Amino acid sequence: MIAKIMLHLASEIIQHMANRLADAVRAFHMAQATAAASAQRAAEDREKVTEARDQLAVAIVEASQSGMRQVDIVRVTGYTRERVRQILRSHGIAPD
C-alpha cells in the first residue's frame, strides 16, 4: 500500500515537473519569436532612418541651390554647420 502511494506521489511530482518544463519551453519559444520580430522591426526602422536621412540630404542640397544660406539650413535642420558643409560637398557644392 505504501509503495503504491509513493509511486502515485512520484508520478504526480514527475507530471508537475513535466508541466513546468513545458511551460518554460513555451515561454522560451515565445521570447525567441518576439526577439525575431523585434529584430525585423529594428531592421525596417533602420532602413526608414536611412531613407529619411537621404531625403534630408537632398532637401539640404535643394535648399542651398535655391539660395538658402547655410546658416539658415543649420538652424532649420539642427545639423551642425560642418555636417551641412559635408553634405553639400558630397553633392559637389562648395561651402559658403
Side-chain angles (χ1 to χ4, degrees):
M1 179 74 166
I2 293 178
K4 193 174 187 180
I5 292 172
M6 294 296 282
L7 183 61
H8 179 69
L9 246 158
S11 176
E12 284 184 12
I13 291 171
I14 290 171
Q15 185 60 44
H16 176 71
M17 293 309 293
N19 289 340
R20 286 188 59 192
L21 181 58
D23 290 345
V25 168
R26 277 191 294 278
F28 175 70
H29 286 203
M30 286 178 60
Q32 280 183 317
T34 300
S38 294
Q40 179 63 32
R41 281 192 303 274
E44 291 168 0
D45 290 346
R46 280 191 297 277
E47 181 62 30
K48 288 178 186 177
V49 167
T50 299
E51 290 173 13
R53 186 181 303 121
D54 292 345
Q55 290 173 356
L56 179 55
V58 168
I60 288 170
V61 169
E62 290 173 354
S64 178
Q65 289 174 334
S66 68
M68 189 174 198
R69 297 178 318 147
Q70 285 183 18
V71 68
D72 295 326
I73 294 171
V74 166
R75 184 179 45 77
V76 171
T77 62
Y79 276 175
T80 65
R81 188 169 176 89
E82 182 54 32
R83 183 66 188 132
V84 170
R85 287 177 179 163
Q86 289 171 353
I87 291 168
L88 293 175
R89 278 194 301 264
S90 72
H91 286 83
I93 298 172
D96 289 345

